Amino acid sequence: MIVRKIHGLALLLLALVLFAAPCLAAAGDQPVLPQKFGGWALSSAAEVPNASLSGALGDNFAVLVESGLISAQRGTYTLAPPAGGSTPGTMQAALYRFRDSNGSYGAYTFLRTADMSSSDLTEKSAVGRDRILAVAGSLLLNLSEPGAASLADLKSLVTLLQKQIPATSYPTLWQYLPGQGLERTSDHYVLGPAGLEKVFPFRSGDWLGLSLGAEAESARYYMGRGSLSLLLTVYPTPQLARVKLQELATKYGVQTLDSGEPSASTGGSSGASTDASAVPADSASSPALYGERRGLMVALVSGARDAREARTLIDRITYQTSVTWNEPSWEAKEPPFLVMIVNILIGTLLLLLYAFIAGLVFAGVRLLVKRFAPGRFFDRDEEVELIQLGLFSKPIEAKDFLTLKPPE
């Protein structure tokens, strides 16, 4: 009975260890705000519940959630006052953790404000009058009132955060945005319908098909008489992009430009006009939308007065599709004549050396065999016939066969 109880207790302890180990590992691997950096020390750090985040972030909270927000942590950093000083420096810090770097970069573009400028603190960072945003992999750091922190202190803090996560890359869709006329800090990386409705309010919901694995980048442009909105969407395949643009033209009245895409109004001919009967009744209150497909990308322009103005902006996009061949290749090159002669001489000497060594080996083996096994393999006592090949004009006769007989 005692043995059974001990055995059952051991199994229970083993199950608890196996269940708790992943939880402890996950808790230990979760990135957190560093306790100390430079002369700063962290105090009153705590996880932030979603209710508090929703109140603090407002409309941006839904954007962060669809970007893959996992957790958030807030804390206060305090800098010890210098000698003779009386007021210590303080700085509020918030650390947002996302599933991947796409989510952290998308949240960064929405939390960034117009008064912030790009910084070299990290690859994706911005600095304002009283706030700093810095992306470190799947983490987004928000610092409030960092006036007392030096650049060296801030880089030390970012370095400590980057050591907690693996190195990663960020989305590159922003590189295709035209630079001419771009309004400052108006570019946003969109991963869901909440962010899409915030920066490109054409329809509510996922009318663009972001749930199909697409990613989008939106920006505003000043074209002289007004502001235009440009939305670039990249789909997994060109076929999906083509079908989606046709669906937008048929269902929402998007006017396709002269790019080879069929228009919803003409049944296959290209143009910038759309049949009113094919457009929903509520589209009269929506702004005109122009679109064009380029390979995987669908570009949409809102706010243009006509198709010509939309075409002007779309023609500035630097996106192009191309096929590259990256298989390894080999090119035959003839060596110089002198090198060929030297190689021939070296090869000849190696063959002569091989023949000499082979002859010595054969002679040595023959002598050893004759010494330890005389008459069994070489110089045997039985008769040995020597046969003429008849290479000369003299005919071969039986008497010409030579026979060696052992001595009697």
Side-chain angles (χ1 to χ4, degrees), residues 9-235:
L9 181 60
L11 291 178
L12 179 60
L13 291 175
L14 180 60
L16 291 175
V17 170
L18 293 177
F19 176 77
C23 299
L24 293 176
D29 295 340
Q30 180 175 347
V32 295
L33 289 170
Q35 293 295 323
K36 291 183 179 180
F37 70 94
W40 296 81
L42 179 64
S43 62
S44 64
E47 294 290 326
V48 183
N50 289 342
S52 299
L53 280 179
S54 178
L57 298 175
D59 296 340
N60 288 326
F61 177 71
V63 177
L64 267 64
V65 170
E66 70 182 11
S67 298
L69 179 65
I70 297 177
S71 62
Q73 184 186 18
R74 284 179 181 170
T76 301
Y77 282 103
T78 304
L79 178 65
S86 59
T87 304
T90 59
M91 177 173 56
Q92 305 297 322
L95 183 65
Y96 303 99
R97 180 187 174 209
F98 295 85
R99 286 195 301 265
D100 51 30
S101 58
N102 288 4
S104 59
Y105 171 71
Y108 161 78
T109 61
F110 280 92
L111 295 181
R112 183 184 50 182
T113 54
D115 65 313
M116 304 183 74
S117 304
S118 298
S119 170
D120 60 351
L121 187 59
T122 61
E123 183 178 349
K124 304 294 180 182
S125 59
V127 177
R129 290 189 297 269
D130 56 356
R131 196 161 66 97
I132 293 178
L133 283 175
V135 182
S138 59
L139 304 178
L140 175 60
L141 178 65
N142 186 359
L143 299 176
S144 300
E145 301 178 358
S150 64
L151 180 59
D153 291 340
L154 295 175
K155 288 190 175 182
S156 176
L157 173 60
V158 171
T159 301
L160 292 175
L161 289 175
Q162 291 174 338
K163 289 181 179 180
Q164 302 183 48
I165 56 175
T168 184
S169 58
Y170 302 104
T172 58
L173 191 54
W174 62 272
Q175 297 178 357
Y176 304 118
L177 292 173
Q180 183 179 355
L182 176 64
E183 295 185 9
R184 189 166 164 271
T185 67
S186 66
D187 56 304
H188 296 85
Y189 182 70
V190 182
L191 289 172
L196 180 61
E197 187 174 2
K198 188 177 179 64
V199 299
F200 206 86
F202 178 70
R203 287 288 192 279
S204 59
D206 188 16
W207 56 271
L208 196 59
L210 296 175
S211 60
L212 302 176
E215 56 178 348
E217 189 89 19
S218 174
R220 294 192 307 272
Y221 289 85
Y222 182 73
M223 300 294 290
R225 295 186 179 180
S227 181
L228 275 65
S229 295
L230 176 64
L231 182 65
L232 304 182
T233 308
V234 174
Y235 293 89

Side-chain angles (χ1 to χ4, degrees), residues 103-388:
S104 59
Y105 171 71
Y108 161 78
T109 61
F110 280 92
L111 295 181
R112 183 184 50 182
T113 54
D115 65 313
M116 304 183 74
S117 304
S118 298
S119 170
D120 60 351
L121 187 59
T122 61
E123 183 178 349
K124 304 294 180 182
S125 59
V127 177
R129 290 189 297 269
D130 56 356
R131 196 161 66 97
I132 293 178
L133 283 175
V135 182
S138 59
L139 304 178
L140 175 60
L141 178 65
N142 186 359
L143 299 176
S144 300
E145 301 178 358
S150 64
L151 180 59
D153 291 340
L154 295 175
K155 288 190 175 182
S156 176
L157 173 60
V158 171
T159 301
L160 292 175
L161 289 175
Q162 291 174 338
K163 289 181 179 180
Q164 302 183 48
I165 56 175
T168 184
S169 58
Y170 302 104
T172 58
L173 191 54
W174 62 272
Q175 297 178 357
Y176 304 118
L177 292 173
Q180 183 179 355
L182 176 64
E183 295 185 9
R184 189 166 164 271
T185 67
S186 66
D187 56 304
H188 296 85
Y189 182 70
V190 182
L191 289 172
L196 180 61
E197 187 174 2
K198 188 177 179 64
V199 299
F200 206 86
F202 178 70
R203 287 288 192 279
S204 59
D206 188 16
W207 56 271
L208 196 59
L210 296 175
S211 60
L212 302 176
E215 56 178 348
E217 189 89 19
S218 174
R220 294 192 307 272
Y221 289 85
Y222 182 73
M223 300 294 290
R225 295 186 179 180
S227 181
L228 275 65
S229 295
L230 176 64
L231 182 65
L232 304 182
T233 308
V234 174
Y235 293 89
T237 62
Q239 294 79 7
L240 184 58
R242 181 178 64 253
V243 171
K244 193 61 185 179
L245 182 58
Q246 292 175 353
E247 178 187 344
L248 292 176
T250 304
K251 189 174 181 181
Y252 300 111
V254 174
Q255 302 181 38
T256 57
L257 301 178
D258 296 334
S259 60
E261 295 294 340
S263 175
S265 60
T266 59
S269 63
S270 60
S273 61
T274 304
D275 187 4
S277 62
V279 182
D282 61 347
S283 65
S285 60
S286 301
L289 206 62
Y290 299 91
E292 179 182 280
R293 182 182 73 89
R294 296 184 180 181
L296 300 173
M297 177 182 290
V298 172
L300 299 176
V301 176
S302 175
R305 293 172 297 172
D306 50 28
R308 180 177 300 178
E309 189 175 30
R311 164 59 62 192
T312 301
L313 180 57
I314 288 181
D315 285 344
R316 297 176 183 175
I317 300 174
T318 58
Y319 179 83
Q320 292 181 349
T321 58
S322 61
V323 178
T324 58
W325 185 269
N326 56 1
E327 292 292 331
S329 59
W330 178 79
E331 181 181 357
K333 294 183 179 180
E334 184 178 352
F337 180 76
L338 182 60
V339 175
M340 294 175 60
I341 295 299
V342 172
N343 291 337
I344 291 174
L345 292 177
I346 293 175
T348 303
L349 292 177
L350 290 177
L351 289 176
L352 292 176
L353 181 62
Y354 170 76
F356 178 73
I357 295 176
L360 291 179
V361 172
F362 176 75
V365 172
R366 184 182 179 92
L367 292 176
L368 290 176
V369 171
K370 291 181 64 175
R371 180 177 181 85
F372 294 101
R376 295 187 58 184
F377 301 99
F378 302 106
D379 300 335
R380 290 171 295 181
D381 294 341
E382 59 268 18
E383 296 182 355
V384 178
E385 294 183 350
L386 301 181
I387 303 176
Q388 295 184 3

